[in-house]
Coordinates of all heavy atoms in Angstrom, one line a residue:
M1 N 0.8 -1.2 0.0 CA 0.0 0.0 0.0 C 0.8 1.3 0.0 O 0.5 2.3 0.6 CB -0.9 -0.1 1.2 CG -2.0 -1.2 1.1 SD -3.1 -1.2 -0.2 CE -4.0 0.3 0.0
A2 N 2.0 1.2 -0.6 CA 2.9 2.3 -0.8 C 2.1 3.4 -1.5 O 2.4 4.6 -1.2 CB 4.1 1.9 -1.5
R3 N 1.3 3.2 -2.4 CA 0.5 4.2 -3.2 C -0.3 5.0 -2.1 O -0.4 6.2 -2.2 CB -0.3 3.6 -4.2 CG -1.1 4.5 -5.1 CD -1.7 3.8 -6.2 NE -2.5 4.7 -7.1 CZ -2.0 5.5 -8.0 NH1 -0.7 5.6 -8.2 NH2 -2.8 6.3 -8.7
V4 N -1.0 4.3 -1.3 CA -1.9 5.0 -0.3 C -1.0 5.9 0.6 O -1.4 7.0 0.9 CB -2.7 4.0 0.5 CG1 -3.5 4.7 1.6 CG2 -3.7 3.3 -0.4
R5 N 0.1 5.3 1.0 CA 1.0 6.1 1.9 C 1.5 7.4 1.2 O 1.4 8.5 1.7 CB 2.2 5.3 2.3 CG 3.2 6.0 3.2 CD 4.4 5.2 3.5 NE 5.2 6.1 4.4 CZ 6.3 5.6 5.0 NH1 6.7 4.3 4.9 NH2 7.0 6.4 5.8
A6 N 1.9 7.2 -0.1 CA 2.3 8.4 -0.8 C 1.2 9.4 -1.1 O 1.5 10.7 -0.9 CB 2.9 7.9 -2.2
L7 N 0.0 9.0 -1.2 CA -1.2 9.9 -1.3 C -1.4 10.6 -0.1 O -1.6 11.9 0.0 CB -2.4 9.1 -1.8 CG -2.6 9.0 -3.3 CD1 -3.7 7.9 -3.5 CD2 -3.1 10.3 -3.9
R8 N -1.4 9.9 1.0 CA -1.5 10.4 2.4 C -0.5 11.5 2.6 O -0.8 12.6 3.1 CB -1.5 9.4 3.4 CG -1.6 9.9 4.8 CD -1.4 8.9 5.9 NE -0.2 8.1 5.9 CZ 1.0 8.6 6.3 NH1 1.0 9.8 6.8 NH2 2.0 7.9 6.3
E9 N 0.8 11.2 2.4 CA 1.8 12.1 2.6 C 1.7 13.4 1.7 O 2.0 14.5 2.1 CB 3.2 11.4 2.4 CG 3.5 10.5 3.5 CD 4.7 9.7 3.3 OE1 5.3 9.7 2.2 OE2 5.2 9.0 4.3
A10 N 1.3 13.1 0.4 CA 1.2 14.3 -0.5 C 0.0 15.2 0.0 O 0.1 16.3 -0.3 CB 0.9 13.7 -1.9
L11 N -0.9 14.6 0.6 CA -2.1 15.4 1.2 C -1.7 16.1 2.5 O -2.4 16.9 3.0 CB -3.3 14.5 1.4 CG -4.0 14.0 0.2 CD1 -5.0 13.0 0.5 CD2 -4.6 15.2 -0.7
G12 N -0.5 15.7 3.0 CA 0.0 16.4 4.3 C -0.7 15.9 5.5 O -0.8 16.7 6.4
L13 N -1.2 14.6 5.5 CA -1.9 14.1 6.6 C -1.1 13.0 7.4 O -0.4 12.2 6.8 CB -3.2 13.4 6.1 CG -4.2 14.3 5.5 CD1 -5.3 13.5 4.9 CD2 -4.8 15.4 6.5
S14 N -1.3 13.0 8.7 CA -0.7 11.9 9.5 C -1.5 10.7 9.3 O -2.7 10.8 8.8 CB -0.7 12.3 11.0 OG -2.0 12.4 11.5
Q15 N -1.0 9.5 9.7 CA -1.8 8.3 9.6 C -3.1 8.4 10.4 O -4.1 8.0 10.0 CB -1.0 7.1 10.1 CG 0.1 6.7 9.2 CD 0.8 5.4 9.7 OE1 0.9 5.2 10.9 NE2 1.4 4.6 8.8
E16 N -2.9 9.0 11.6 CA -4.1 9.2 12.5 C -5.2 10.1 11.8 O -6.4 9.7 11.8 CB -3.7 9.7 13.8 CG -4.8 9.7 14.8 CD -4.3 10.0 16.2 OE1 -3.1 10.4 16.4 OE2 -5.1 9.8 17.2
A17 N -4.8 11.2 11.3 CA -5.8 12.1 10.7 C -6.4 11.4 9.4 O -7.6 11.6 9.2 CB -5.1 13.4 10.3
F18 N -5.6 10.7 8.6 CA -6.1 10.1 7.5 C -7.1 9.0 7.8 O -8.2 8.9 7.2 CB -5.0 9.5 6.6 CG -5.5 9.0 5.3 CD1 -5.7 9.8 4.2 CD2 -5.8 7.6 5.1 CE1 -6.1 9.4 3.0 CE2 -6.2 7.1 3.9 CZ -6.4 8.0 2.8
A19 N -6.8 8.2 8.8 CA -7.7 7.1 9.3 C -9.0 7.7 9.8 O -10.0 7.1 9.4 CB -7.0 6.3 10.4
E20 N -8.9 8.8 10.5 CA -10.2 9.4 10.9 C -11.0 9.9 9.8 O -12.2 9.8 9.7 CB -9.8 10.6 11.8 CG -11.1 11.3 12.4 CD -10.7 12.4 13.4 OE1 -9.6 12.3 14.1 OE2 -11.4 13.4 13.5
R21 N -10.4 10.5 8.8 CA -11.0 11.0 7.6 C -11.6 9.9 6.8 O -12.8 10.1 6.3 CB -10.1 11.8 6.7 CG -10.7 12.3 5.4 CD -9.7 13.0 4.6 NE -9.6 14.4 5.2 CZ -8.8 15.3 4.7 NH1 -7.9 15.0 3.8 NH2 -8.6 16.4 5.3
A22 N -11.0 8.7 6.8 CA -11.5 7.6 6.1 C -12.6 6.8 6.9 O -13.2 5.9 6.3 CB -10.4 6.7 5.7
G23 N -12.7 7.1 8.2 CA -13.7 6.4 9.0 C -13.2 5.0 9.4 O -13.9 4.1 9.6
L24 N -11.9 4.9 9.5 CA -11.2 3.7 9.9 C -10.5 3.9 11.3 O -10.1 5.0 11.6 CB -10.2 3.3 8.9 CG -10.6 3.1 7.5 CD1 -9.4 2.9 6.5 CD2 -11.6 1.9 7.3
K25 N -10.4 2.7 12.0 CA -9.6 2.8 13.2 C -8.2 2.9 12.8 O -7.7 2.4 11.9 CB -9.8 1.5 14.0 CG -11.2 1.3 14.5 CD -11.4 0.1 15.4 CE -12.8 0.0 15.9 NZ -13.1 -1.2 16.7
Y26 N -7.5 3.7 13.7 CA -6.1 4.1 13.4 C -5.2 2.9 13.3 O -4.4 2.7 12.3 CB -5.6 5.0 14.5 CG -4.1 5.2 14.5 CD1 -3.5 5.9 13.4 CD2 -3.3 4.7 15.5 CE1 -2.1 6.0 13.4 CE2 -1.9 4.9 15.5 CZ -1.3 5.6 14.4 OH 0.0 5.7 14.4
K27 N -5.3 1.9 14.1 CA -4.4 0.7 14.1 C -4.7 -0.1 12.9 O -3.8 -0.6 12.3 CB -4.6 -0.1 15.4 CG -4.0 0.6 16.6 CD -2.5 0.6 16.5 CE -1.9 1.2 17.8 NZ -0.5 1.2 17.8
H28 N -6.0 -0.2 12.5 CA -6.3 -0.9 11.3 C -5.7 -0.3 10.0 O -5.1 -1.0 9.2 CB -7.9 -1.0 11.2 CG -8.4 -1.7 10.0 ND1 -8.3 -3.1 9.9 CD2 -9.0 -1.3 8.9 CE1 -8.9 -3.4 8.7 NE2 -9.3 -2.3 8.1
Y29 N -5.9 1.0 9.9 CA -5.3 1.7 8.8 C -3.8 1.6 8.8 O -3.2 1.4 7.8 CB -5.7 3.2 8.8 CG -4.9 3.9 7.7 CD1 -5.3 3.8 6.4 CD2 -3.8 4.7 8.0 CE1 -4.5 4.3 5.4 CE2 -3.1 5.3 7.0 CZ -3.4 5.1 5.7 OH -2.7 5.7 4.7
Q30 N -3.2 1.8 10.0 CA -1.7 1.6 10.1 C -1.2 0.3 9.6 O -0.2 0.2 8.9 CB -1.3 1.8 11.6 CG 0.2 2.0 11.8 CD 0.5 2.1 13.3 OE1 -0.1 1.5 14.1 NE2 1.3 3.1 13.6
A31 N -1.9 -0.8 9.9 CA -1.6 -2.1 9.5 C -1.7 -2.3 8.0 O -0.9 -2.9 7.3 CB -2.4 -3.2 10.2
I32 N -2.7 -1.7 7.4 CA -3.0 -1.7 6.0 C -1.8 -1.0 5.3 O -1.2 -1.6 4.3 CB -4.3 -1.1 5.6 CG1 -5.5 -2.1 6.1 CG2 -4.4 -0.9 4.1 CD1 -6.8 -1.4 5.9
E33 N -1.5 0.2 5.7 CA -0.5 0.9 5.1 C 0.9 0.3 5.1 O 1.7 0.3 4.2 CB -0.4 2.3 5.6 CG 0.5 3.3 4.9 CD 0.6 4.6 5.5 OE1 -0.3 5.5 5.3 OE2 1.7 5.0 6.1
A34 N 1.1 -0.3 6.3 CA 2.5 -1.0 6.5 C 2.5 -2.4 5.7 O 3.6 -3.0 5.8 CB 2.7 -1.2 8.0
G35 N 1.4 -2.8 5.2 CA 1.4 -4.1 4.5 C 1.3 -5.3 5.4 O 1.4 -6.4 5.0
R36 N 0.9 -5.1 6.7 CA 0.8 -6.2 7.6 C -0.7 -6.8 7.5 O -0.9 -7.8 8.1 CB 1.0 -5.7 9.1 CG 2.5 -5.3 9.3 CD 2.8 -5.1 10.8 NE 1.8 -4.1 11.4 CZ 2.0 -2.8 11.5 NH1 3.1 -2.3 11.0 NH2 1.1 -2.0 12.0
K37 N -1.5 -6.1 6.8 CA -2.8 -6.6 6.6 C -3.1 -6.7 5.1 O -3.8 -5.8 4.5 CB -3.8 -5.7 7.3 CG -5.2 -6.2 7.4 CD -5.9 -5.4 8.5 CE -7.2 -6.1 9.0 NZ -7.0 -7.3 9.8
P38 N -2.7 -7.7 4.4 CA -2.8 -7.7 3.0 C -4.2 -8.0 2.5 O -4.5 -7.7 1.4 CB -1.9 -8.9 2.5 CG -1.8 -9.7 3.8 CD -1.9 -8.8 4.9
N39 N -5.0 -8.6 3.3 CA -6.4 -8.9 2.9 C -7.3 -8.0 3.8 O -7.4 -8.1 5.0 CB -6.8 -10.4 3.2 CG -5.9 -11.3 2.4 OD1 -5.5 -11.0 1.3 ND2 -5.5 -12.4 3.0
F40 N -8.1 -7.2 3.0 CA -9.1 -6.4 3.8 C -10.3 -6.2 2.9 O -10.3 -6.5 1.7 CB -8.5 -5.0 4.1 CG -7.8 -4.3 3.0 CD1 -8.5 -3.4 2.2 CD2 -6.4 -4.5 2.8 CE1 -7.9 -2.8 1.1 CE2 -5.8 -3.9 1.7 CZ -6.6 -3.0 0.9
Q41 N -11.4 -5.7 3.5 CA -12.6 -5.6 2.8 C -12.6 -4.5 1.7 O -11.9 -3.5 1.8 CB -13.8 -5.3 3.7 CG -14.1 -6.4 4.7 CD -15.3 -6.1 5.5 OE1 -16.0 -5.2 5.3 NE2 -15.5 -6.9 6.6
F42 N -13.4 -4.8 0.6 CA -13.5 -3.9 -0.5 C -14.0 -2.5 0.0 O -13.5 -1.4 -0.5 CB -14.4 -4.4 -1.6 CG -14.5 -3.6 -2.8 CD1 -13.5 -3.7 -3.8 CD2 -15.5 -2.8 -3.0 CE1 -13.5 -3.0 -4.9 CE2 -15.6 -2.0 -4.3 CZ -14.6 -2.1 -5.1
V43 N -14.9 -2.5 0.9 CA -15.4 -1.2 1.4 C -14.3 -0.4 2.1 O -14.4 0.8 2.0 CB -16.6 -1.5 2.4 CG1 -16.1 -2.0 3.7 CG2 -17.4 -0.1 2.6
T44 N -13.3 -1.0 2.6 CA -12.2 -0.3 3.2 C -11.4 0.5 2.1 O -11.0 1.6 2.2 CB -11.2 -1.2 3.9 OG1 -11.9 -1.9 4.9 CG2 -10.0 -0.5 4.5
L45 N -11.2 -0.2 0.9 CA -10.6 0.5 -0.2 C -11.4 1.7 -0.7 O -10.9 2.7 -1.1 CB -10.4 -0.6 -1.3 CG -9.4 -0.2 -2.4 CD1 -8.0 0.1 -1.8 CD2 -9.3 -1.4 -3.3
E46 N -12.7 1.5 -0.7 CA -13.6 2.6 -1.1 C -13.5 3.8 -0.1 O -13.5 4.9 -0.5 CB -15.1 2.1 -1.1 CG -15.4 1.1 -2.2 CD -16.8 0.6 -2.1 OE1 -17.3 0.3 -1.0 OE2 -17.4 0.5 -3.2
K47 N -13.4 3.5 1.2 CA -13.2 4.6 2.1 C -11.9 5.3 2.0 O -11.8 6.5 2.2 CB -13.3 4.0 3.6 CG -14.7 3.6 4.0 CD -14.7 3.0 5.3 CE -16.1 2.6 5.8 NZ -16.1 2.1 7.2
I48 N -10.8 4.6 1.7 CA -9.6 5.2 1.5 C -9.6 6.1 0.3 O -9.0 7.2 0.3 CB -8.4 4.1 1.3 CG1 -8.2 3.4 2.7 CG2 -7.2 4.6 0.7 CD1 -7.3 2.1 2.6
A49 N -10.2 5.6 -0.8 CA -10.4 6.5 -2.0 C -11.1 7.8 -1.6 O -10.7 8.9 -2.0 CB -11.0 5.7 -3.1
A50 N -12.2 7.6 -0.9 CA -13.0 8.8 -0.5 C -12.2 9.7 0.3 O -12.3 11.0 0.1 CB -14.3 8.3 0.1
A51 N -11.4 9.2 1.2 CA -10.6 10.1 2.1 C -9.6 10.8 1.3 O -9.1 11.9 1.7 CB -9.9 9.2 3.2
C52 N -9.2 10.3 0.2 CA -8.2 11.0 -0.8 C -8.9 12.0 -1.7 O -8.3 12.7 -2.4 CB -7.4 10.0 -1.6 SG -6.3 9.0 -0.6
G53 N -10.2 12.0 -1.6 CA -11.0 12.8 -2.5 C -11.1 12.3 -4.0 O -11.2 13.0 -4.9
L54 N -10.9 10.9 -4.1 CA -10.8 10.3 -5.4 C -11.9 9.3 -5.5 O -12.5 8.8 -4.6 CB -9.5 9.5 -5.5 CG -8.3 10.3 -5.3 CD1 -7.0 9.3 -5.2 CD2 -8.1 11.3 -6.5
E55 N -12.2 9.0 -6.8 CA -13.1 7.8 -7.2 C -12.1 6.6 -7.0 O -10.9 6.7 -7.2 CB -13.6 8.0 -8.6 CG -14.5 9.1 -8.8 CD -15.9 8.9 -8.1 OE1 -16.3 7.8 -7.9 OE2 -16.4 10.0 -7.6
L56 N -12.7 5.5 -6.8 CA -12.0 4.3 -6.6 C -11.1 4.0 -7.8 O -10.0 3.6 -7.8 CB -12.9 3.1 -6.3 CG -12.2 1.7 -6.0 CD1 -11.2 1.9 -4.8 CD2 -13.2 0.7 -5.6
R57 N -11.7 4.2 -9.0 CA -11.0 3.9 -10.3 C -9.7 4.8 -10.3 O -8.7 4.3 -10.9 CB -11.8 4.1 -11.5 CG -12.3 5.5 -11.7 CD -13.1 5.7 -13.0 NE -13.5 7.0 -13.1 CZ -14.7 7.5 -12.7 NH1 -15.6 6.7 -12.2 NH2 -15.0 8.8 -12.9
D58 N -9.8 6.0 -9.8 CA -8.6 6.9 -9.9 C -7.5 6.4 -8.9 O -6.3 6.5 -9.2 CB -9.0 8.3 -9.5 CG -9.9 8.9 -10.5 OD1 -9.8 8.6 -11.7 OD2 -10.8 9.7 -10.1
L59 N -8.0 5.9 -7.7 CA -7.0 5.4 -6.8 C -6.3 4.2 -7.3 O -5.0 4.0 -7.1 CB -7.7 5.0 -5.5 CG -6.9 4.3 -4.4 CD1 -5.9 5.3 -3.8 CD2 -7.7 3.8 -3.3
L60 N -6.9 3.3 -8.1 CA -6.4 2.2 -8.7 C -5.7 2.3 -10.0 O -5.1 1.4 -10.6 CB -7.4 1.0 -8.8 CG -8.1 0.7 -7.4 CD1 -9.2 -0.3 -7.7 CD2 -7.0 0.1 -6.5
D61 N -5.7 3.5 -10.5 CA -5.1 3.9 -11.8 C -3.6 4.2 -11.6 O -3.2 5.3 -11.3 CB -5.7 5.0 -12.5 CG -5.1 5.4 -13.8 OD1 -4.2 4.7 -14.2 OD2 -5.6 6.4 -14.5
F62 N -2.7 3.2 -11.7 CA -1.3 3.3 -11.3 C -0.5 4.1 -12.4 O 0.6 4.3 -12.2 CB -0.7 2.0 -11.1 CG -1.2 1.4 -9.7 CD1 -2.4 0.6 -9.7 CD2 -0.5 1.6 -8.6 CE1 -2.9 0.0 -8.6 CE2 -1.1 1.0 -7.4 CZ -2.2 0.3 -7.4
R63 N -1.2 4.5 -13.4 CA -0.5 5.3 -14.4 C -0.3 6.7 -14.0 O 0.6 7.4 -14.5 CB -1.2 5.3 -15.8 CG -1.3 3.9 -16.4 CD -2.2 4.0 -17.6 NE -3.6 4.2 -17.1 CZ -4.6 4.3 -17.9 NH1 -4.5 4.2 -19.2 NH2 -5.8 4.5 -17.3
T64 N -1.1 7.2 -13.0 CA -1.0 8.5 -12.5 C -0.3 8.5 -11.1 O -0.7 7.8 -10.2 CB -2.4 9.1 -12.3 OG1 -3.1 9.0 -13.5 CG2 -2.3 10.6 -11.9
A65 N 0.7 9.3 -10.9 CA 1.5 9.4 -9.8 C 0.7 9.9 -8.6 O -0.2 10.8 -8.8 CB 2.7 10.3 -9.9
P66 N 0.9 9.4 -7.4 CA 0.1 9.9 -6.2 C 0.2 11.4 -6.0 O -0.8 12.0 -5.6 CB 0.7 9.1 -5.0 CG 1.3 7.9 -5.6 CD 1.8 8.3 -7.0
E67 N 1.3 11.9 -6.3 CA 1.5 13.4 -6.1 C 0.6 14.2 -7.0 O 0.1 15.2 -6.6 CB 2.9 13.8 -6.3 CG 3.9 13.2 -5.3 CD 4.3 11.7 -5.5 OE1 4.0 11.2 -6.7 OE2 4.7 11.1 -4.6
V68 N 0.4 13.7 -8.2 CA -0.4 14.4 -9.2 C -1.9 14.2 -8.7 O -2.7 15.2 -8.9 CB -0.3 13.7 -10.6 CG1 -1.3 14.3 -11.6 CG2 1.2 14.0 -11.1
L69 N -2.3 13.1 -8.2 CA -3.7 12.9 -7.7 C -4.0 13.8 -6.6 O -5.1 14.3 -6.4 CB -3.9 11.5 -7.3 CG -3.9 10.4 -8.5 CD1 -4.0 9.0 -7.9 CD2 -5.1 10.7 -9.4
A70 N -3.0 14.0 -5.7 CA -3.2 14.8 -4.5 C -3.2 16.3 -4.8 O -3.7 17.1 -4.1 CB -2.1 14.5 -3.5
E71 N -2.7 16.7 -6.0 CA -2.6 18.1 -6.4 C -4.0 18.7 -6.4 O -5.0 18.1 -6.8 CB -2.0 18.3 -7.7 CG -0.5 18.3 -7.8 CD 0.1 18.5 -9.1 OE1 -0.7 18.7 -10.1 OE2 1.3 18.4 -9.3
D72 N -4.2 20.0 -6.0 CA -5.4 20.7 -6.1 C -6.6 20.1 -5.3 O -7.7 20.4 -5.6 CB -5.8 20.9 -7.6 CG -4.8 21.6 -8.4 OD1 -4.1 22.5 -7.9 OD2 -4.6 21.2 -9.5
R73 N -6.3 19.2 -4.4 CA -7.4 18.7 -3.5 C -7.6 19.7 -2.4 O -6.7 20.1 -1.7 CB -7.0 17.3 -2.9 CG -6.8 16.2 -4.0 CD -8.1 15.7 -4.5 NE -7.9 14.8 -5.5 CZ -8.6 14.7 -6.6 NH1 -9.7 15.4 -6.7 NH2 -8.4 13.8 -7.6
T74 N -8.9 20.0 -2.2 CA -9.2 20.9 -1.1 C -10.1 20.1 -0.1 O -10.7 19.1 -0.4 CB -10.0 22.1 -1.6 OG1 -11.2 21.7 -2.2 CG2 -9.1 22.9 -2.6
E75 N -10.3 20.7 1.0 CA -11.2 20.1 2.0 C -12.6 19.8 1.5 O -13.2 18.9 1.8 CB -11.3 21.0 3.2 CG -10.1 20.9 4.1 CD -9.9 19.6 4.8 OE1 -10.9 19.0 5.3 OE2 -8.8 19.1 4.9
T76 N -13.1 20.7 0.6 CA -14.5 20.5 0.1 C -14.6 19.4 -0.9 O -15.7 18.9 -1.1 CB -14.9 21.8 -0.6 OG1 -14.1 22.1 -1.6 CG2 -15.0 22.9 0.4
E77 N -13.4 18.9 -1.4 CA -13.5 17.8 -2.3 C -13.5 16.4 -1.6 O -13.8 15.4 -2.3 CB -12.3 17.8 -3.3 CG -12.3 19.0 -4.2 CD -11.1 19.1 -5.1 OE1 -10.1 18.4 -4.8 OE2 -11.1 19.9 -6.0
F78 N -13.2 16.3 -0.4 CA -13.2 15.1 0.3 C -14.6 14.6 0.6 O -15.5 15.3 1.0 CB -12.4 15.1 1.6 CG -10.9 15.4 1.3 CD1 -10.4 16.6 1.6 CD2 -10.1 14.4 0.8 CE1 -9.1 16.9 1.3 CE2 -8.8 14.7 0.5 CZ -8.3 15.9 0.8
K79 N -14.8 13.3 0.2 CA -16.1 12.7 0.5 C -16.2 12.1 1.8 O -15.2 11.5 2.2 CB -16.4 11.7 -0.6 CG -16.4 12.2 -2.0 CD -16.4 11.2 -3.0 CE -16.2 11.7 -4.4 NZ -16.0 10.7 -5.4
S80 N -17.3 12.2 2.4 CA -17.5 11.5 3.7 C -17.7 10.1 3.6 O -18.5 9.6 2.7 CB -18.7 12.1 4.5 OG -19.0 11.4 5.6
P81 N -17.0 9.2 4.3 CA -17.2 7.8 4.2 C -18.5 7.3 4.9 O -18.9 6.2 4.8 CB -16.0 7.2 4.9 CG -15.6 8.2 5.8 CD -15.9 9.5 5.2
A82 N -19.1 8.3 5.6 CA -20.4 7.9 6.2 C -21.4 7.3 5.3 O -21.6 7.8 4.2 CB -21.0 9.2 6.9
G83 N -22.1 6.3 5.7 CA -23.1 5.6 4.9 C -22.5 4.6 4.0 O -23.2 3.8 3.4
K84 N -21.2 4.6 3.8 CA -20.5 3.6 3.0 C -20.4 2.3 3.9 O -20.2 2.4 5.1 CB -19.2 4.0 2.5 CG -19.3 5.2 1.5 CD -18.6 4.8 0.3 CE -18.7 5.9 -0.7 NZ -18.5 5.5 -2.0
G85 N -20.4 1.2 3.2 CA -20.1 0.0 4.0 C -21.3 -0.6 4.7 O -21.1 -1.6 5.4
T86 N -22.4 0.0 4.5 CA -23.6 -0.6 5.2 C -24.1 -1.7 4.2 O -24.7 -1.4 3.2 CB -24.7 0.5 5.4 OG1 -25.0 1.1 4.2 CG2 -24.3 1.5 6.5
R87 N -23.8 -2.9 4.5 CA -24.2 -4.0 3.7 C -24.9 -5.1 4.5 O -24.8 -5.2 5.6 CB -22.9 -4.6 3.1 CG -22.0 -3.6 2.4 CD -20.6 -4.1 2.2 NE -20.7 -5.3 1.5 CZ -20.3 -5.5 0.2 NH1 -19.8 -4.5 -0.4 NH2 -20.4 -6.7 -0.4
K88 N -25.6 -5.9 3.8 CA -26.3 -7.0 4.4 C -25.4 -8.0 4.8 O -24.3 -8.2 4.2 CB -27.4 -7.5 3.4 CG -28.5 -6.6 3.2 CD -29.5 -7.2 2.3 CE -30.7 -6.2 2.0 NZ -31.7 -6.8 1.2
R89 N -25.7 -8.8 5.8 CA -24.8 -9.8 6.3 C -24.6 -10.8 5.2 O -25.5 -11.2 4.4 CB -25.5 -10.6 7.4 CG -25.1 -10.1 8.7 CD -25.6 -11.1 9.8 NE -24.4 -11.3 10.6 CZ -24.6 -11.7 11.8 NH1 -25.8 -12.0 12.3 NH2 -23.5 -12.0 12.6
G90 N -23.4 -11.3 5.1 CA -23.0 -12.4 4.2 C -22.6 -11.9 2.8 O -22.4 -12.6 1.9
T91 N -22.4 -10.5 2.7 CA -22.0 -10.0 1.4 C -20.6 -9.3 1.5 O -20.3 -8.4 0.8 CB -23.1 -8.9 0.9 OG1 -23.1 -7.9 2.0 CG2 -24.4 -9.5 0.7
R92 N -19.8 -9.8 2.3 CA -18.4 -9.2 2.5 C -17.6 -9.5 1.2 O -17.6 -10.6 0.6 CB -17.7 -9.9 3.7 CG -18.3 -9.4 5.0 CD -17.6 -10.1 6.1 NE -16.2 -9.7 6.1 CZ -15.4 -10.0 7.1 NH1 -15.8 -10.7 8.1 NH2 -14.2 -9.6 7.1
R93 N -16.9 -8.6 0.8 CA -16.0 -8.7 -0.3 C -14.6 -8.4 0.2 O -14.4 -7.4 1.0 CB -16.3 -7.7 -1.4 CG -17.6 -8.0 -2.2 CD -17.8 -7.0 -3.2 NE -18.3 -5.8 -2.5 CZ -18.6 -4.7 -3.2 NH1 -18.4 -4.6 -4.4 NH2 -19.0 -3.6 -2.5
T94 N -13.6 -9.1 -0.1 CA -12.3 -9.0 0.5 C -11.3 -8.8 -0.7 O -11.4 -9.4 -1.7 CB -11.8 -10.2 1.3 OG1 -12.7 -10.4 2.3 CG2 -10.4 -10.0 1.8
V95 N -10.4 -7.8 -0.5 CA -9.4 -7.5 -1.5 C -8.1 -8.3 -1.1 O -7.7 -8.2 0.0 CB -9.1 -6.0 -1.5 CG1 -7.9 -5.7 -2.5 CG2 -10.3 -5.2 -1.9
K96 N -7.5 -9.0 -2.0 CA -6.3 -9.7 -1.7 C -5.2 -9.2 -2.5 O -5.3 -8.7 -3.6 CB -6.5 -11.2 -2.1 CG -7.5 -11.8 -1.1 CD -7.6 -13.3 -1.4 CE -8.6 -13.9 -0.5 NZ -8.7 -15.3 -0.6

């Protein structure tokens, strides 16, 4: 998850501030960024993209450098992760 780390740093956010913005627990986000948690739910990836002010497809487009994606992002562009991830039981998706 070096890309997410680069985006977070380009946005000038600490891990704790980014985790809060994404609606994730700090330790959980820290483990994801460090690569200690290689399997996590798809909704977590959606929350990370929203915290960066990006669509998921933009987060996963590795042709664009993280620094370029982070340019011109303002507070008003960040999407709230609230309401995301509310899914019915048994519909978990995991990213590997």
Side-chain angles (χ1 to χ4, degrees):
M1 295 299 295
R3 182 172 177 80
V4 173
R5 179 181 181 174
L7 272 166
R8 175 185 60 76
E9 290 175 345
L11 292 169
L13 298 170
S14 67
Q15 285 183 334
E16 190 171 7
F18 187 82
E20 184 177 326
R21 177 177 283 174
L24 301 171
K25 292 184 179 180
Y26 169 65
K27 290 291 185 181
H28 179 71
Y29 172 74
Q30 189 180 46
I32 290 171
E33 187 181 286
R36 293 188 309 268
K37 193 164 198 64
N39 300 325
F40 51 89
Q41 292 184 13
F42 187 78
V43 70
T44 301
L45 198 54
E46 291 175 319
K47 288 179 179 184
I48 289 171
C52 292
L54 301 171
E55 295 292 326
L56 185 56
R57 68 177 176 264
D58 296 325
L59 178 67
L60 299 176
D61 181 2
F62 289 87
R63 296 173 293 179
T64 307
E67 296 76 19
V68 172
L69 291 174
E71 282 180 2
D72 303 323
R73 297 282 173 216
T74 63
E75 282 294 318
T76 58
E77 291 178 348
F78 294 107
K79 300 172 188 168
S80 170
K84 294 233 179 205
T86 54
R87 305 165 57 111
K88 292 183 180 178
R89 265 192 131 155
T91 60
R92 290 178 65 171
R93 292 178 283 177
T94 302
V95 177
K96 293 185 181 180

